[in-house]
Amino acid sequence: MDLDRIHTPVMLDRTVELLAPALEAPGAVLVDATLGMGGHSRAFLERFPELTVIGLDRDLEALAIARERLAAFGDRARFVHTVYDGITEAIRREGFDEVQGILFDLGVSSLQLDRAERGFAYAKDAPLDMRMDPSRGRTAADVLAEADEDELRRIFLDYGEEKLAARYARAIVRARAEHPITRSGELVQILHDATPVAIQRQGHPAKRVFQALRIEVNEELSVLAAAIPAALDAVAVGGRIVVLSYQSLEDRLVKRELQAASSSTAPAGLPMELPEHKAQFRLLVRGAELASEAEQAENPRAKPVRLRAAERVRRAR
């Protein structure tokens, strides 16, 4: 397997540019909260010779690959098997109270998409697993078997923003009454048959449902909602955080947390802002940045990305 060919880090140059001012000092620490196969981390370790990277991932296969790819950096590269809402404990376990940089590259990884047997890709028939950590938790097949029609509709609507959520939930409940739905190909066929022909021309009918199931199986939004505040709290003064999101639900959550952290807490009508009300962070980019057209053309997985970043300017006493 050619790892450099299958894994192209998204917005790598821009990510390095944004985090560089915080990582140039001796003894700097970067948390790669979504290590994957280590593409971003390797670039940072090469660029900053005194940097320590703490890589977090829930996927044991990804961690094993990253260990191999980053072995040349010795103990400058550290690895923690955890979901990224465990960021505080991971930092402390490695002997640090705060860090200079944090990177989140959210969503499903190249490894997970390209391993057909993991069941993430609707274009490849495989067991309906979708667990980012295959060692624990329920699978997508379990969700399809156990959730009632109302719950399936909620999952598809809330996590996939799927307009046909109710229609798809009914079709799945009818199909599973005849036999269990255990493979991605079976689910794709059910969704295809339940989709009006006119809507089929607007895109693959399984795309949003597969996204919704993945988010449900891995509890991605609840994990992210806990992880971003914890990450912000761990950033040292002068430190920076960069988040790459790939769907609107993630991006809205990240936007809300970064905007809150970079806003004054002064009560409305106060004649002057007291020091304790000043924002603890400042935003580094206006809105959400997109990958360049050139990168999107070269790496299709960069098309949906939204980048947001902030720097800690003070810490509350």
Side-chain angles (χ1 to χ4, degrees):
M1 178 172 57
D2 185 348
L3 295 174
D4 292 323
R5 182 180 63 81
I6 69 168
H7 177 54
T8 303
V10 172
M11 295 189 78
L12 177 60
D13 292 342
R14 182 58 171 148
T15 300
V16 172
E17 178 186 8
L18 285 166
L19 288 169
L23 303 182
E24 291 171 339
V29 178
L30 168 70
V31 176
D32 187 342
T34 47
L35 179 63
M37 292 184 286
H40 282 102
S41 284
R42 184 168 70 174
F44 281 104
L45 288 163
E46 290 173 345
R47 169 74 180 272
F48 305 102
E50 296 187 57
L51 178 69
T52 296
V53 171
I54 303 172
L56 317 183
D57 210 293
R58 67 172 84 185
D59 190 327
L60 288 168
E61 184 179 9
L63 279 172
I65 291 172
R67 284 181 186 276
E68 180 180 346
R69 298 187 78 200
L70 304 179
F73 300 102
D75 63 3
R76 291 176 54 216
R78 308 185 187 187
F79 308 90
V80 182
H81 178 221
T82 186
V83 185
Y84 43 73
D85 62 350
I87 187 169
T88 302
E89 181 182 349
I91 291 169
R92 290 175 179 167
R93 194 182 96 176
E94 294 301 321
F96 303 98
D97 295 321
E98 57 184 16
V99 298
Q100 286 63 49
I102 296 179
L103 170 65
F104 285 88
D105 184 11
L106 301 171
V108 64
S109 73
S110 300
L111 174 66
Q112 291 157 348
L113 282 172
D114 291 337
R115 289 278 205 263
E117 66 272 16
R118 300 291 293 272
F120 286 95
Y122 53 80
K124 303 172 183 177
D125 183 44
L128 276 167
D129 192 315
M130 295 194 192
R131 292 173 296 172
M132 292 180 177
D133 182 352
S135 69
R136 66 186 71 181
R138 61 179 184 165
T139 67
D142 293 331
V143 173
L144 293 176
E146 297 166 4
D148 63 23
E149 184 175 328
D150 287 343
E151 180 68 1
L152 287 172
R153 179 185 57 78
R154 182 198 64 78
I155 290 169
F156 301 157
L157 187 62
D158 289 354
Y159 298 157
E161 300 178 292
E162 174 53 67
K163 295 178 180 178
L164 298 179
R167 188 185 189 107
Y168 289 155
R170 285 195 300 272
I172 287 168
V173 170
R174 285 197 301 268
R176 77 186 185 190
E178 298 180 9
H179 60 81
I181 305 167
T182 60
R183 298 190 66 84
S184 57
E186 295 171 335
L187 178 57
V188 167
Q189 189 62 53
I190 292 166
L191 298 173
H192 180 272
D193 293 345
T195 305
V197 175
I199 295 179
Q200 290 179 18
R201 301 191 186 102
Q202 299 174 13
H204 201 294
K207 181 177 181 179
R208 292 187 180 89
V209 170
F210 270 62
Q211 172 185 297
L213 284 171
R214 191 199 80 219
I215 291 173
E216 171 71 12
V217 166
N218 297 289
E219 301 178 322
E220 291 177 43
L221 292 181
S222 60
V223 166
L224 184 61
I228 296 298
L232 290 170
D233 190 56
V235 176
V237 174
R240 296 184 168 199
I241 179 171
V242 172
V243 185
L244 303 175
S245 304
Y246 294 84
Q247 42 99 347
S248 60
L249 297 170
E250 292 173 340
D251 183 54
R252 284 200 293 268
L253 192 157
V254 173
K255 176 184 178 181
R256 182 175 68 244
E257 294 293 341
L258 294 189
Q259 284 186 335
S262 59
S263 300
S264 171
T265 59
L270 204 66
M272 63 179 294
E273 183 183 48
L274 299 175
E276 60 265 29
H277 293 148
K278 291 183 181 295
Q280 295 186 48
F281 284 80
R282 71 178 181 95
L283 299 180
L284 296 173
V285 300
R286 187 172 182 176
E289 285 192 6
L290 310 181
S292 67
E293 291 184 4
E295 180 174 0
Q296 291 184 39
E298 184 176 341
N299 181 10
R301 288 174 184 167
K303 289 181 179 179
V305 73
R306 300 291 184 272
L307 179 150
R308 296 184 187 272
E311 177 184 28
R312 180 181 284 282
V313 293
R314 76 175 191 91
R315 184 175 286 280
R317 295 180 180 178

